[in-house]
Amino acid sequence: AERQKFVVQRSEQERQATVIRSEGEAEAAQMISKAIKDHGSGLIEIRKIDAAKDIAESLAKSANVMYLPSDQQMLLNVGGGGGAAARPQ
């Protein structure tokens, strides 16, 4: 009987936590919408920059990442075999 009481109380607490979390997320979404409406899309740009920074930090810590220059011709010359793609035209 005690075990069942505990299980019921725990599930009730989890349900309440889910409701509170959902209400907080809804309020945050409303605040973001209002901020965008009032001040433009600067907040979205900041979020994009933050996300890009987090991704860059994660990639920088990985040993399996190779950085390539943005020049697409460099990608054609990676093989260095002097094929048709590597010859100047």
Side-chain angles (χ1 to χ4, degrees):
E2 289 295 319
R3 173 89 175 137
Q4 288 178 339
K5 252 195 237 184
F6 172 75
V7 170
V8 168
Q9 286 177 345
R10 185 176 67 188
S11 65
E12 179 63 25
Q13 287 176 349
E14 289 173 357
R15 185 191 69 77
Q16 287 176 345
T18 302
V19 168
I20 291 169
R21 190 177 312 112
S22 298
E23 288 173 349
E25 289 174 0
E27 186 176 342
Q30 288 176 347
M31 291 172 72
I32 290 170
S33 295
K34 184 179 183 309
I36 290 171
K37 181 179 169 187
D38 294 346
H39 303 290
S41 63
L43 179 64
I44 293 174
E45 293 300 319
I46 290 173
R47 293 265 174 109
K48 285 181 183 179
I49 292 169
D50 284 341
K53 187 180 100 189
D54 291 342
I55 291 168
E57 286 176 2
S58 296
L59 291 176
K61 293 176 185 175
S62 174
N64 297 329
V65 176
M66 178 184 293
Y67 298 97
L68 296 174
S70 61
D71 181 19
Q72 289 187 354
Q73 292 298 320
M74 179 65 178
L75 294 177
L76 296 175
N77 295 329
V78 168
R87 288 189 204 124
Q89 299 194 10

